[in-house]
Structure formats: structure tokens, C-alpha cells
Amino acid sequence: MAVIKHISIKNSNYNAATDYLTTQHDEFTGKAVLDEQGNHIPRSDFILEGIHCDPYSFGEECEETNKRFNKNQTRTEIKAHHYIISFDPRDRDDNGLTTQQAQALGMKFAEKNFPGHEALVCTHPDGHNSAGNIHVHIVINSVRAYDVERQDFMERPGDALAGHKHHVTKNYLKYLKSQTMLMCQQESFYQVDLLHPAKVRITDREYWAQRRGQAKLDSKIKSSPSLSQHTTQFETEKGFLRRVITEIMTDSHSMEEFQKKMFEKYSIEVYESRGRISYLLPDRQKPIRGRSLGTDFEKEFIQHFISENHIFDQKRIYENIKKSETKSFFSQTSHHKTKQSVRLITDLETCIKAQQSRAYAQKVKISNLQKMADTLAFLQTNGIETMEDLQKLRTSSKEHVKETLAKVKMTESKLHIVDKMYHARMTILKNRNVYKQYLNSPNRRDFREEHTAEIMLYEAARKELQGLTGTKKFPSLKDIQAERSALYRQKNAYYED
């Protein structure tokens, strides 16, 4: 699973980016860590390379480009863009990902998606959380230094021309996420769907609030060990809210009961508006929207969970589990964080709250029985009676996925060509009138200077379409759209499969 993050930089000191990538910085404040003599301390392990520049003179070369095109001269302008691609820690252990391989992938990604820009590409072997997540930093000057061939993802005529600024839109970020997913797929890395909302959404702000809060709590416990009897884990407001919502919806039979219990037990008001749900904590003026917590905390999911969670009554659940011969299987698999369609049970031995409250422990036991029943129903529905059956199903599923992925790749390669044809045909249509005026103009030289971008786009699109079709007679836009739609339907069907 790789994720990509974008940060806009307004700092006019480009060398600060190089310093950050190559020297140690405090993870909370972002300030440089200095030795006793006041000098920067180099990072112990990193790989740094430059594209269209020397990595150690990146700042000077960017300033030279800015002066040449008279850009980035004011304080409010975005001077650079910082992209971070973080790989799953498991890719290092399970798939043999190295910093050298990550750097090569980062260079390829930057050259493809930020063409013509001066760029720094730097790979670090670990992140702030020391989980072993290899990650790649890509820092680009916001002004393109060189003209490049127009690409499909470019939205404006100037996106391929030197002197124009890097343009970040929702569609472009969506494109970069799809490219990140494609990279993971091609390298057989762990991956998640970056194009749809996360089940549990944790922003950078919440992540760092949790890290800072945990550091302060650890410091307090160290100075006063008696505090460790109360709690050792810091919770943000959103973290607390997620835990409470999960607890209450596990014990609710309807949305009305869910709302009532949220208020009675925790004084949290639950509001609904236009199908959306939000939560107002007692010490806040502004409610927290469910979608900011993740899709697992929105109205639709909670309603579905409540209805699914109470199909069986408690007596029937208990009888099913008692008769089940797969109890040992549940106890073995419940401790593994594997991705599955059924929910994992809660380990009472490690659940601090369950040890502190007998009532809560009873709720957890009932919830565990419900989850076990769901698992048992899943096994019975799929005819899985032994571990051998499960292994056979796993093997056949992997083979099916492999075959389907081959079909996906073949469809995507066809779709890539048709997409190029579509964009080229659209570009020709958009600039056709200008090009006709150019051909009929008595002074083509002056007309071309006035309409350079449109004419260049038309000629480049025409040349590309000739190369793709192998003929000067182009297919109609309607035919291309029909073929494109059919390929997208086929691709979606394969992905669904």
C-alpha cells in the first residue's frame, strides 16, 4: 500500500528543501537538529538525485529559472510543490522493497508526471513512526524549466510549455493517486484504493496531534509513574469519537437507540442533515462531521452495521457457537490483523477497558459471539469445513486474480491508446477553427505568433493521431467515444471480478 501526499511551499529559500531532505529535523517542530557547534547533523541514510538540476545546487537553479521567466517574485506565490510517496512497511519485509528500488521508482514517477520541472528526488528508509515505511520525497520548482511533449493528464495548453507554473487540481491529484496505485500493482506491492474515501480517515493534523499528545503523556508518566494506572494511550477528540461510536453501535438495535445512548452515556449529540451525520461533543461549539472520521462512521454504514449485527438473537448466537467445532480456529485467527470480510473479535486479555469494567467486558463478550457467528455463517455459506478447504479456495482465488489481472492489463493497454486518440481528437476539434484561420491568413507568420499555443496543440494532436491510427483519415469522435466507453466497462467489470 503506497499513499501519496501533496504539500504547497511558499518559502522562497529553495535550499531549505535540500536541508530538510539531507539533515536531521525535529519531527514535531520541523526545525533542524544542531550539534554542539550549531551545525546541521546529516541524516544517517538517504539517496538524493536531481532531475534537470544538480541536487546540491537545486535552489540556485530554481531561482535562475524564476528570473528567466519573471515568476515567483511575490511572497504569496507557491514556489515549490512537495510530493511524498510512502510505501507500506510490509513491502520491505514481504516484497523485498529497498531504498534503491524506491528511489528508482520515485525517479521514474517524477520524470513521467512532472516533465520539464527541476526536481529533487530523495528516499528515506523510515518514517516518523519508525515502522519501516520507506518513502520518497519529490520536490519540484513550481515553474517548468523546459518545453515538453503534451501528455494526456495535462489540462491546459500551457502545462507543456516552459515558463508556466505547475497546476494542481482535484483531477490531477486523482490522476497521481491512480498512477501510485498502478505502480503498486505493477510491482506487486500492497495497495489500497486511494480514489475512494477511507474507512478510517486520519488527516496529517490529527496524526501529529496524536503524536504530540502521546509524547506529552509519556513524559508525564515518566515523571509521575502513578499516572500509568489511569491510561497510557493518548486519544484525540476524533479518536475518542471513533471508539465511542463503535462501542455504541455494537450495542444498539436502531438509529434512534444509537442516538439516545450516545447522548445518555457520553453527552454527545448526533445530528442528521441531508443524509449526512455529525457529532457534537459536550465541550465543542462546532460538530464533527461523520465523513471526516471515515466512511465507517457515516449514517449509511452505521445503519447497515446495526441491522446486520442483530439478525440473530443472543441465545441463537450462543447455541451456534457452542455447537461449532471451529472455536479453536477463531481463537487462532483473531490475533492476526488480516484483511477479511468479517470483523475481528476483541481480545479481553489485552482490552484495558474490559478489565476495568465488568459491564463493558460483558458487552465485548456478546459482541465477540456475534462476530464469531458471522464468521461461522461465512464459512458455512462458502462450504469451508477445514483448513485444507480454506487453502484450496485461497489457491484457486489467487489463480483467478492472476488471470483477471492479465486481462485488466491488456484492456488498460488498449484503453491507453484509445484515451490518447480521444484527447488528440478533442484537441483537434477545439483548435480546428484557429488552425483554419491560420491556413487562410494572408500573413501566417504573424498569425502563428499570436496563436502559438493553439496551433502547436493542433499540429501535435494531428501528428499523434496519425501515429496512433496509421492513416491521415481519422475516426470520428463518436466512434472513439463508443470504443472508449466499451473498454472502460470491460475494465470495470474485470476490476469488479
mmCIF file of all heavy atoms in Angstrom, residues 1-4 84-95 97 105 129 131-136 177 179-196 198-200 202 339:
data_model
loop_
_atom_site.group_PDB
_atom_site.id
_atom_site.type_symbol
_atom_site.label_atom_id
_atom_site.label_comp_id
_atom_site.label_asym_id
_atom_site.label_seq_id
_atom_site.Cartn_x
_atom_site.Cartn_y
_atom_site.Cartn_z
ATOM 1 N N MET A 1 0.849 -1.191 0.000
ATOM 2 C CA MET A 1 0.000 0.000 0.000
ATOM 3 C C MET A 1 0.880 1.235 0.000
ATOM 4 O O MET A 1 1.619 1.473 0.944
ATOM 5 C CB MET A 1 -0.890 -0.020 1.245
ATOM 6 C CG MET A 1 -1.636 1.277 1.505
ATOM 7 S SD MET A 1 -2.429 1.305 3.113
ATOM 8 C CE MET A 1 -1.036 1.727 4.158
ATOM 9 N N ALA A 2 0.846 1.986 -1.049
ATOM 10 C CA ALA A 2 1.552 3.259 -1.084
ATOM 11 C C ALA A 2 0.524 4.382 -1.082
ATOM 12 O O ALA A 2 -0.541 4.257 -1.685
ATOM 13 C CB ALA A 2 2.435 3.352 -2.331
ATOM 14 N N VAL A 3 0.827 5.441 -0.384
ATOM 15 C CA VAL A 3 -0.038 6.622 -0.380
ATOM 16 C C VAL A 3 0.772 7.814 -0.861
ATOM 17 O O VAL A 3 1.999 7.841 -0.704
ATOM 18 C CB VAL A 3 -0.627 6.909 1.022
ATOM 19 C CG1 VAL A 3 -1.539 5.779 1.451
ATOM 20 C CG2 VAL A 3 0.469 7.106 2.057
ATOM 21 N N ILE A 4 0.096 8.789 -1.457
ATOM 22 C CA ILE A 4 0.785 9.986 -1.943
ATOM 23 C C ILE A 4 0.172 11.214 -1.301
ATOM 24 O O ILE A 4 -1.046 11.302 -1.131
ATOM 25 C CB ILE A 4 0.728 10.075 -3.487
ATOM 26 C CG1 ILE A 4 1.571 11.259 -3.985
ATOM 27 C CG2 ILE A 4 -0.701 10.149 -3.990
ATOM 28 C CD1 ILE A 4 1.845 11.230 -5.471
ATOM 29 N N ILE A 84 5.033 13.353 -1.450
ATOM 30 C CA ILE A 84 5.634 12.269 -0.667
ATOM 31 C C ILE A 84 4.900 10.972 -0.983
ATOM 32 O O ILE A 84 3.673 10.893 -0.840
ATOM 33 C CB ILE A 84 5.545 12.542 0.850
ATOM 34 C CG1 ILE A 84 6.159 13.901 1.195
ATOM 35 C CG2 ILE A 84 6.262 11.432 1.639
ATOM 36 C CD1 ILE A 84 5.936 14.327 2.638
ATOM 37 N N ILE A 85 5.636 9.972 -1.440
ATOM 38 C CA ILE A 85 5.072 8.639 -1.684
ATOM 39 C C ILE A 85 5.580 7.714 -0.581
ATOM 40 O O ILE A 85 6.779 7.455 -0.500
ATOM 41 C CB ILE A 85 5.489 8.096 -3.068
ATOM 42 C CG1 ILE A 85 5.051 9.057 -4.177
ATOM 43 C CG2 ILE A 85 4.905 6.709 -3.297
ATOM 44 C CD1 ILE A 85 5.578 8.677 -5.545
ATOM 45 N N SER A 86 4.674 7.241 0.256
ATOM 46 C CA SER A 86 5.046 6.369 1.377
ATOM 47 C C SER A 86 4.585 4.947 1.083
ATOM 48 O O SER A 86 3.407 4.711 0.812
ATOM 49 C CB SER A 86 4.403 6.852 2.681
ATOM 50 O OG SER A 86 4.864 8.132 3.018
ATOM 51 N N PHE A 87 5.510 4.005 1.158
ATOM 52 C CA PHE A 87 5.194 2.604 0.900
ATOM 53 C C PHE A 87 4.822 1.896 2.201
ATOM 54 O O PHE A 87 5.244 2.311 3.288
ATOM 55 C CB PHE A 87 6.391 1.897 0.255
ATOM 56 C CG PHE A 87 6.729 2.413 -1.124
ATOM 57 C CD1 PHE A 87 7.686 3.409 -1.290
ATOM 58 C CD2 PHE A 87 6.084 1.915 -2.239
ATOM 59 C CE1 PHE A 87 7.997 3.891 -2.553
ATOM 60 C CE2 PHE A 87 6.383 2.386 -3.508
ATOM 61 C CZ PHE A 87 7.337 3.374 -3.668
ATOM 62 N N ASP A 88 4.066 0.830 2.071
ATOM 63 C CA ASP A 88 3.663 0.036 3.238
ATOM 64 C C ASP A 88 4.912 -0.617 3.851
ATOM 65 O O ASP A 88 5.749 -1.143 3.113
ATOM 66 C CB ASP A 88 2.671 -1.046 2.789
ATOM 67 C CG ASP A 88 1.975 -1.711 3.955
ATOM 68 O OD1 ASP A 88 2.676 -2.286 4.807
ATOM 69 O OD2 ASP A 88 0.743 -1.655 4.020
ATOM 70 N N PRO A 89 5.043 -0.608 5.179
ATOM 71 C CA PRO A 89 6.199 -1.271 5.816
ATOM 72 C C PRO A 89 6.322 -2.736 5.423
ATOM 73 O O PRO A 89 7.433 -3.282 5.369
ATOM 74 C CB PRO A 89 5.902 -1.129 7.320
ATOM 75 C CG PRO A 89 5.026 0.067 7.421
ATOM 76 C CD PRO A 89 4.193 0.075 6.169
ATOM 77 N N ARG A 90 5.181 -3.384 5.117
ATOM 78 C CA ARG A 90 5.220 -4.796 4.744
ATOM 79 C C ARG A 90 5.912 -5.027 3.404
ATOM 80 O O ARG A 90 6.381 -6.134 3.126
ATOM 81 C CB ARG A 90 3.801 -5.360 4.712
ATOM 82 C CG ARG A 90 3.098 -5.389 6.067
ATOM 83 C CD ARG A 90 1.652 -5.851 5.930
ATOM 84 N NE ARG A 90 0.879 -4.902 5.138
ATOM 85 C CZ ARG A 90 -0.376 -5.111 4.756
ATOM 86 N NH1 ARG A 90 -0.996 -6.226 5.093
ATOM 87 N NH2 ARG A 90 -1.026 -4.196 4.038
ATOM 88 N N ASP A 91 5.939 -3.982 2.551
ATOM 89 C CA ASP A 91 6.612 -4.134 1.258
ATOM 90 C C ASP A 91 8.106 -4.386 1.443
ATOM 91 O O ASP A 91 8.717 -5.085 0.642
ATOM 92 C CB ASP A 91 6.393 -2.883 0.397
ATOM 93 C CG ASP A 91 4.979 -2.809 -0.159
ATOM 94 O OD1 ASP A 91 4.429 -3.874 -0.455
ATOM 95 O OD2 ASP A 91 4.432 -1.705 -0.251
ATOM 96 N N ARG A 92 8.665 -3.816 2.499
ATOM 97 C CA ARG A 92 10.086 -4.039 2.775
ATOM 98 C C ARG A 92 10.329 -5.483 3.201
ATOM 99 O O ARG A 92 11.267 -6.132 2.722
ATOM 100 C CB ARG A 92 10.552 -3.083 3.866
ATOM 101 C CG ARG A 92 12.034 -3.192 4.207
ATOM 102 C CD ARG A 92 12.360 -2.452 5.494
ATOM 103 N NE ARG A 92 11.660 -3.076 6.630
ATOM 104 C CZ ARG A 92 11.744 -2.624 7.876
ATOM 105 N NH1 ARG A 92 12.458 -1.555 8.154
ATOM 106 N NH2 ARG A 92 11.098 -3.236 8.849
ATOM 107 N N ASP A 93 9.475 -5.990 4.079
ATOM 108 C CA ASP A 93 9.684 -7.324 4.646
ATOM 109 C C ASP A 93 9.173 -8.438 3.734
ATOM 110 O O ASP A 93 9.839 -9.463 3.568
ATOM 111 C CB ASP A 93 8.987 -7.424 6.009
ATOM 112 C CG ASP A 93 9.500 -6.374 6.991
ATOM 113 O OD1 ASP A 93 10.704 -6.058 6.926
ATOM 114 O OD2 ASP A 93 8.704 -5.865 7.791
ATOM 115 N N ASP A 94 7.987 -8.237 3.135
ATOM 116 C CA ASP A 94 7.364 -9.310 2.352
ATOM 117 C C ASP A 94 7.755 -9.276 0.881
ATOM 118 O O ASP A 94 7.823 -10.328 0.235
ATOM 119 C CB ASP A 94 5.832 -9.219 2.453
ATOM 120 C CG ASP A 94 5.340 -9.399 3.889
ATOM 121 O OD1 ASP A 94 6.175 -9.747 4.755
ATOM 122 O OD2 ASP A 94 4.144 -9.185 4.142
ATOM 123 N N ASN A 95 7.970 -8.089 0.341
ATOM 124 C CA ASN A 95 8.217 -7.961 -1.108
ATOM 125 C C ASN A 95 9.634 -7.508 -1.454
ATOM 126 O O ASN A 95 9.933 -7.234 -2.611
ATOM 127 C CB ASN A 95 7.194 -6.989 -1.715
ATOM 128 C CG ASN A 95 5.770 -7.483 -1.547
ATOM 129 O OD1 ASN A 95 5.489 -8.663 -1.711
ATOM 130 N ND2 ASN A 95 4.853 -6.582 -1.205
ATOM 131 N N LEU A 97 11.285 -4.707 -0.841
ATOM 132 C CA LEU A 97 11.498 -3.323 -1.278
ATOM 133 C C LEU A 97 12.739 -2.739 -0.594
ATOM 134 O O LEU A 97 12.900 -2.839 0.624
ATOM 135 C CB LEU A 97 10.277 -2.472 -0.945
ATOM 136 C CG LEU A 97 10.394 -0.978 -1.258
ATOM 137 C CD1 LEU A 97 10.505 -0.752 -2.756
ATOM 138 C CD2 LEU A 97 9.196 -0.214 -0.688
ATOM 139 N N LEU A 105 11.952 3.983 -8.519
ATOM 140 C CA LEU A 105 10.525 4.176 -8.795
ATOM 141 C C LEU A 105 10.145 5.649 -8.673
ATOM 142 O O LEU A 105 9.348 6.170 -9.456
ATOM 143 C CB LEU A 105 9.682 3.338 -7.825
ATOM 144 C CG LEU A 105 9.735 1.816 -8.010
ATOM 145 C CD1 LEU A 105 9.021 1.104 -6.856
ATOM 146 C CD2 LEU A 105 9.100 1.404 -9.335
ATOM 147 N N ASN A 129 7.244 7.309 12.401
ATOM 148 C CA ASN A 129 6.729 6.322 13.349
ATOM 149 C C ASN A 129 7.635 5.113 13.523
ATOM 150 O O ASN A 129 7.291 4.172 14.230
ATOM 151 C CB ASN A 129 5.335 5.849 12.898
ATOM 152 C CG ASN A 129 5.359 5.326 11.467
ATOM 153 O OD1 ASN A 129 6.418 5.195 10.861
ATOM 154 N ND2 ASN A 129 4.192 5.036 10.933
ATOM 155 N N ALA A 131 8.220 2.640 11.714
ATOM 156 C CA ALA A 131 7.574 1.378 11.346
ATOM 157 C C ALA A 131 8.256 0.735 10.145
ATOM 158 O O ALA A 131 7.854 -0.335 9.706
ATOM 159 C CB ALA A 131 6.100 1.621 11.032
ATOM 160 N N GLY A 132 9.287 1.399 9.611
ATOM 161 C CA GLY A 132 9.995 0.842 8.465
ATOM 162 C C GLY A 132 9.357 1.180 7.136
ATOM 163 O O GLY A 132 9.577 0.485 6.149
ATOM 164 N N ASN A 133 8.545 2.249 7.102
ATOM 165 C CA ASN A 133 7.894 2.624 5.839
ATOM 166 C C ASN A 133 8.849 3.470 4.994
ATOM 167 O O ASN A 133 9.056 4.652 5.233
ATOM 168 C CB ASN A 133 6.575 3.359 6.084
ATOM 169 C CG ASN A 133 6.740 4.623 6.905
ATOM 170 O OD1 ASN A 133 7.397 4.612 7.936
ATOM 171 N ND2 ASN A 133 6.160 5.706 6.451
ATOM 172 N N ILE A 134 9.433 2.817 4.012
ATOM 173 C CA ILE A 134 10.301 3.513 3.055
ATOM 174 C C ILE A 134 9.449 4.539 2.307
ATOM 175 O O ILE A 134 8.336 4.245 1.890
ATOM 176 C CB ILE A 134 10.937 2.511 2.080
ATOM 177 C CG1 ILE A 134 11.845 1.528 2.843
ATOM 178 C CG2 ILE A 134 11.707 3.216 0.977
ATOM 179 C CD1 ILE A 134 12.360 0.383 1.995
ATOM 180 N N HIS A 135 9.973 5.764 2.159
ATOM 181 C CA HIS A 135 9.195 6.796 1.476
ATOM 182 C C HIS A 135 10.085 7.678 0.618
ATOM 183 O O HIS A 135 11.273 7.844 0.897
ATOM 184 C CB HIS A 135 8.410 7.645 2.478
ATOM 185 C CG HIS A 135 9.273 8.331 3.502
ATOM 186 N ND1 HIS A 135 9.798 7.691 4.599
ATOM 187 C CD2 HIS A 135 9.705 9.605 3.585
ATOM 188 C CE1 HIS A 135 10.519 8.539 5.313
ATOM 189 N NE2 HIS A 135 10.476 9.709 4.708
ATOM 190 N N VAL A 136 9.465 8.220 -0.438
ATOM 191 C CA VAL A 136 10.192 9.030 -1.425
ATOM 192 C C VAL A 136 9.650 10.456 -1.407
ATOM 193 O O VAL A 136 8.438 10.664 -1.484
ATOM 194 C CB VAL A 136 10.036 8.445 -2.845
ATOM 195 C CG1 VAL A 136 10.830 9.271 -3.856
ATOM 196 C CG2 VAL A 136 10.481 6.996 -2.882
ATOM 197 N N LYS A 177 -2.910 9.754 -7.810
ATOM 198 C CA LYS A 177 -3.276 8.613 -6.954
ATOM 199 C C LYS A 177 -3.434 7.348 -7.791
ATOM 200 O O LYS A 177 -2.996 6.267 -7.381
ATOM 201 C CB LYS A 177 -4.580 8.918 -6.213
ATOM 202 C CG LYS A 177 -4.429 9.950 -5.106
ATOM 203 C CD LYS A 177 -5.768 10.277 -4.452
ATOM 204 C CE LYS A 177 -5.617 11.331 -3.365
ATOM 205 N NZ LYS A 177 -6.921 11.689 -2.753
ATOM 206 N N GLN A 179 -1.918 6.734 -10.588
ATOM 207 C CA GLN A 179 -0.581 6.338 -11.001
ATOM 208 C C GLN A 179 0.162 5.628 -9.870
ATOM 209 O O GLN A 179 0.918 4.676 -10.102
ATOM 210 C CB GLN A 179 0.212 7.573 -11.451
ATOM 211 C CG GLN A 179 -0.230 8.166 -12.768
ATOM 212 C CD GLN A 179 -0.039 7.201 -13.928
ATOM 213 O OE1 GLN A 179 1.064 6.758 -14.213
ATOM 214 N NE2 GLN A 179 -1.140 6.850 -14.580
ATOM 215 N N THR A 180 -0.061 6.078 -8.639
ATOM 216 C CA THR A 180 0.551 5.427 -7.477
ATOM 217 C C THR A 180 0.005 4.016 -7.320
ATOM 218 O O THR A 180 0.767 3.063 -7.062
ATOM 219 C CB THR A 180 0.267 6.243 -6.197
ATOM 220 O OG1 THR A 180 0.724 7.582 -6.380
ATOM 221 C CG2 THR A 180 0.978 5.638 -4.993
ATOM 222 N N MET A 181 -1.311 3.860 -7.482
ATOM 223 C CA MET A 181 -1.919 2.528 -7.394
ATOM 224 C C MET A 181 -1.408 1.615 -8.505
ATOM 225 O O MET A 181 -1.135 0.430 -8.277
ATOM 226 C CB MET A 181 -3.438 2.656 -7.471
ATOM 227 C CG MET A 181 -4.074 3.306 -6.255
ATOM 228 S SD MET A 181 -5.825 3.718 -6.515
ATOM 229 C CE MET A 181 -6.523 2.089 -6.751
ATOM 230 N N LEU A 182 -1.272 2.174 -9.708
ATOM 231 C CA LEU A 182 -0.779 1.399 -10.843
ATOM 232 C C LEU A 182 0.658 0.939 -10.590
ATOM 233 O O LEU A 182 1.019 -0.204 -10.892
ATOM 234 C CB LEU A 182 -0.864 2.244 -12.120
ATOM 235 C CG LEU A 182 -0.370 1.573 -13.410
ATOM 236 C CD1 LEU A 182 -1.233 0.360 -13.730
ATOM 237 C CD2 LEU A 182 -0.403 2.553 -14.570
ATOM 238 N N MET A 183 1.473 1.835 -10.014
ATOM 239 C CA MET A 183 2.858 1.482 -9.691
ATOM 240 C C MET A 183 2.901 0.303 -8.707
ATOM 241 O O MET A 183 3.679 -0.638 -8.885
ATOM 242 C CB MET A 183 3.571 2.699 -9.088
ATOM 243 C CG MET A 183 4.991 2.442 -8.627
ATOM 244 S SD MET A 183 5.789 3.949 -7.995
ATOM 245 C CE MET A 183 4.778 4.272 -6.536
ATOM 246 N N CYS A 184 2.055 0.349 -7.681
ATOM 247 C CA CYS A 184 1.997 -0.739 -6.702
ATOM 248 C C CYS A 184 1.563 -2.044 -7.359
ATOM 249 O O CYS A 184 2.103 -3.111 -7.064
ATOM 250 C CB CYS A 184 1.024 -0.394 -5.575
ATOM 251 S SG CYS A 184 1.660 0.800 -4.411
ATOM 252 N N GLN A 185 0.587 -1.929 -8.255
ATOM 253 C CA GLN A 185 0.090 -3.123 -8.940
ATOM 254 C C GLN A 185 1.180 -3.745 -9.806
ATOM 255 O O GLN A 185 1.382 -4.969 -9.800
ATOM 256 C CB GLN A 185 -1.111 -2.744 -9.800
ATOM 257 C CG GLN A 185 -1.741 -3.926 -10.530
ATOM 258 C CD GLN A 185 -2.912 -3.477 -11.394
ATOM 259 O OE1 GLN A 185 -3.714 -2.665 -10.989
ATOM 260 N NE2 GLN A 185 -2.988 -4.003 -12.588
ATOM 261 N N GLN A 186 1.909 -2.918 -10.534
ATOM 262 C CA GLN A 186 2.965 -3.423 -11.415
ATOM 263 C C GLN A 186 4.115 -4.053 -10.633
ATOM 264 O O GLN A 186 4.750 -5.006 -11.096
ATOM 265 C CB GLN A 186 3.491 -2.279 -12.288
ATOM 266 C CG GLN A 186 2.485 -1.805 -13.328
ATOM 267 C CD GLN A 186 2.936 -0.558 -14.055
ATOM 268 O OE1 GLN A 186 3.814 0.181 -13.583
ATOM 269 N NE2 GLN A 186 2.348 -0.289 -15.206
ATOM 270 N N GLU A 187 4.386 -3.525 -9.426
ATOM 271 C CA GLU A 187 5.484 -4.043 -8.612
ATOM 272 C C GLU A 187 5.031 -5.116 -7.616
ATOM 273 O O GLU A 187 5.825 -5.597 -6.821
ATOM 274 C CB GLU A 187 6.143 -2.894 -7.831
ATOM 275 C CG GLU A 187 6.746 -1.803 -8.709
ATOM 276 C CD GLU A 187 7.887 -2.310 -9.578
ATOM 277 O OE1 GLU A 187 8.612 -3.213 -9.113
ATOM 278 O OE2 GLU A 187 8.034 -1.812 -10.709
ATOM 279 N N SER A 188 3.731 -5.458 -7.659
ATOM 280 C CA SER A 188 3.146 -6.449 -6.733
ATOM 281 C C SER A 188 3.307 -6.035 -5.277
ATOM 282 O O SER A 188 3.569 -6.861 -4.402
ATOM 283 C CB SER A 188 3.779 -7.836 -6.960
ATOM 284 O OG SER A 188 3.547 -8.278 -8.271
ATOM 285 N N PHE A 189 3.139 -4.732 -5.015
ATOM 286 C CA PHE A 189 3.197 -4.227 -3.643
ATOM 287 C C PHE A 189 1.793 -4.230 -3.044
ATOM 288 O O PHE A 189 0.798 -4.354 -3.752
ATOM 289 C CB PHE A 189 3.737 -2.789 -3.620
ATOM 290 C CG PHE A 189 5.196 -2.679 -3.965
ATOM 291 C CD1 PHE A 189 5.729 -1.465 -4.392
ATOM 292 C CD2 PHE A 189 6.045 -3.767 -3.873
ATOM 293 C CE1 PHE A 189 7.071 -1.341 -4.717
ATOM 294 C CE2 PHE A 189 7.396 -3.662 -4.201
ATOM 295 C CZ PHE A 189 7.904 -2.450 -4.620
ATOM 296 N N TYR A 190 1.752 -4.078 -1.711
ATOM 297 C CA TYR A 190 0.468 -3.908 -1.042
ATOM 298 C C TYR A 190 -0.149 -2.592 -1.528
ATOM 299 O O TYR A 190 0.554 -1.597 -1.676
ATOM 300 C CB TYR A 190 0.644 -3.853 0.476
ATOM 301 C CG TYR A 190 1.013 -5.189 1.091
ATOM 302 C CD1 TYR A 190 2.330 -5.498 1.389
ATOM 303 C CD2 TYR A 190 0.031 -6.134 1.363
ATOM 304 C CE1 TYR A 190 2.670 -6.731 1.954
ATOM 305 C CE2 TYR A 190 0.356 -7.356 1.930
ATOM 306 C CZ TYR A 190 1.675 -7.654 2.217
ATOM 307 O OH TYR A 190 2.001 -8.854 2.772
ATOM 308 N N GLN A 191 -1.451 -2.598 -1.752
ATOM 309 C CA GLN A 191 -2.083 -1.373 -2.205
ATOM 310 C C GLN A 191 -3.518 -1.278 -1.685
ATOM 311 O O GLN A 191 -4.146 -2.280 -1.362
ATOM 312 C CB GLN A 191 -2.092 -1.284 -3.725
ATOM 313 C CG GLN A 191 -3.043 -2.256 -4.412
ATOM 314 C CD GLN A 191 -3.038 -2.082 -5.918
ATOM 315 O OE1 GLN A 191 -2.137 -2.542 -6.593
ATOM 316 N NE2 GLN A 191 -4.074 -1.452 -6.440
ATOM 317 N N VAL A 192 -3.998 -0.049 -1.569
ATOM 318 C CA VAL A 192 -5.386 0.209 -1.185
ATOM 319 C C VAL A 192 -5.988 1.132 -2.239
ATOM 320 O O VAL A 192 -5.281 1.707 -3.059
ATOM 321 C CB VAL A 192 -5.488 0.885 0.208
ATOM 322 C CG1 VAL A 192 -5.051 -0.066 1.295
ATOM 323 C CG2 VAL A 192 -4.669 2.174 0.254
ATOM 324 N N ASP A 193 -7.293 1.263 -2.208
ATOM 325 C CA ASP A 193 -7.976 2.152 -3.143
ATOM 326 C C ASP A 193 -7.840 3.593 -2.657
ATOM 327 O O ASP A 193 -8.426 3.978 -1.656
ATOM 328 C CB ASP A 193 -9.449 1.751 -3.220
ATOM 329 C CG ASP A 193 -10.200 2.532 -4.287
ATOM 330 O OD1 ASP A 193 -9.589 3.437 -4.895
ATOM 331 O OD2 ASP A 193 -11.386 2.249 -4.501
ATOM 332 N N LEU A 194 -7.031 4.381 -3.375
ATOM 333 C CA LEU A 194 -6.815 5.780 -2.992
ATOM 334 C C LEU A 194 -7.862 6.711 -3.595
ATOM 335 O O LEU A 194 -7.907 7.891 -3.248
ATOM 336 C CB LEU A 194 -5.418 6.231 -3.455
ATOM 337 C CG LEU A 194 -4.215 5.444 -2.915
ATOM 338 C CD1 LEU A 194 -2.928 5.991 -3.517
ATOM 339 C CD2 LEU A 194 -4.153 5.499 -1.407
ATOM 340 N N LEU A 195 -8.687 6.175 -4.499
ATOM 341 C CA LEU A 195 -9.620 7.034 -5.230
ATOM 342 C C LEU A 195 -10.975 7.155 -4.545
ATOM 343 O O LEU A 195 -11.831 7.899 -4.991
ATOM 344 C CB LEU A 195 -9.807 6.491 -6.656
ATOM 345 C CG LEU A 195 -8.523 6.391 -7.483
ATOM 346 C CD1 LEU A 195 -8.818 5.810 -8.848
ATOM 347 C CD2 LEU A 195 -7.853 7.752 -7.620
ATOM 348 N N HIS A 196 -11.178 6.394 -3.471
ATOM 349 C CA HIS A 196 -12.434 6.471 -2.743
ATOM 350 C C HIS A 196 -12.163 6.790 -1.281
ATOM 351 O O HIS A 196 -11.071 6.528 -0.764
ATOM 352 C CB HIS A 196 -13.208 5.142 -2.862
ATOM 353 C CG HIS A 196 -13.655 4.854 -4.255
ATOM 354 N ND1 HIS A 196 -12.864 4.166 -5.150
ATOM 355 C CD2 HIS A 196 -14.782 5.181 -4.931
ATOM 356 C CE1 HIS A 196 -13.501 4.066 -6.306
ATOM 357 N NE2 HIS A 196 -14.666 4.677 -6.202
ATOM 358 N N ALA A 198 -11.619 6.884 2.665
ATOM 359 C CA ALA A 198 -11.097 5.847 3.550
ATOM 360 C C ALA A 198 -12.126 5.455 4.596
ATOM 361 O O ALA A 198 -12.941 6.265 5.023
ATOM 362 C CB ALA A 198 -9.826 6.353 4.240
ATOM 363 N N LYS A 199 -12.082 4.195 5.035
ATOM 364 C CA LYS A 199 -12.985 3.735 6.094
ATOM 365 C C LYS A 199 -12.689 4.459 7.396
ATOM 366 O O LYS A 199 -13.589 4.784 8.149
ATOM 367 C CB LYS A 199 -12.850 2.219 6.271
ATOM 368 C CG LYS A 199 -13.378 1.424 5.088
ATOM 369 C CD LYS A 199 -13.322 -0.062 5.365
ATOM 370 C CE LYS A 199 -13.929 -0.847 4.207
ATOM 371 N NZ LYS A 199 -13.936 -2.293 4.474
ATOM 372 N N VAL A 200 -11.402 4.651 7.677
ATOM 373 C CA VAL A 200 -10.982 5.440 8.838
ATOM 374 C C VAL A 200 -10.083 6.544 8.304
ATOM 375 O O VAL A 200 -8.974 6.281 7.842
ATOM 376 C CB VAL A 200 -10.231 4.590 9.883
ATOM 377 C CG1 VAL A 200 -9.781 5.460 11.038
ATOM 378 C CG2 VAL A 200 -11.124 3.461 10.393
ATOM 379 N N ILE A 202 -7.722 9.590 8.737
ATOM 380 C CA ILE A 202 -6.873 10.295 9.694
ATOM 381 C C ILE A 202 -6.032 11.309 8.924
ATOM 382 O O ILE A 202 -5.192 10.934 8.100
ATOM 383 C CB ILE A 202 -5.969 9.321 10.466
ATOM 384 C CG1 ILE A 202 -6.830 8.333 11.256
ATOM 385 C CG2 ILE A 202 -5.034 10.069 11.405
ATOM 386 C CD1 ILE A 202 -6.059 7.268 11.981
ATOM 387 N N LYS A 339 -6.813 -8.952 6.388
ATOM 388 C CA LYS A 339 -7.924 -8.267 5.746
ATOM 389 C C LYS A 339 -8.979 -9.304 5.401
ATOM 390 O O LYS A 339 -8.717 -10.254 4.684
ATOM 391 C CB LYS A 339 -7.425 -7.561 4.484
ATOM 392 C CG LYS A 339 -8.485 -6.679 3.845
ATOM 393 C CD LYS A 339 -7.875 -5.943 2.693
ATOM 394 C CE LYS A 339 -8.919 -5.049 2.030
ATOM 395 N NZ LYS A 339 -8.376 -4.357 0.883
#
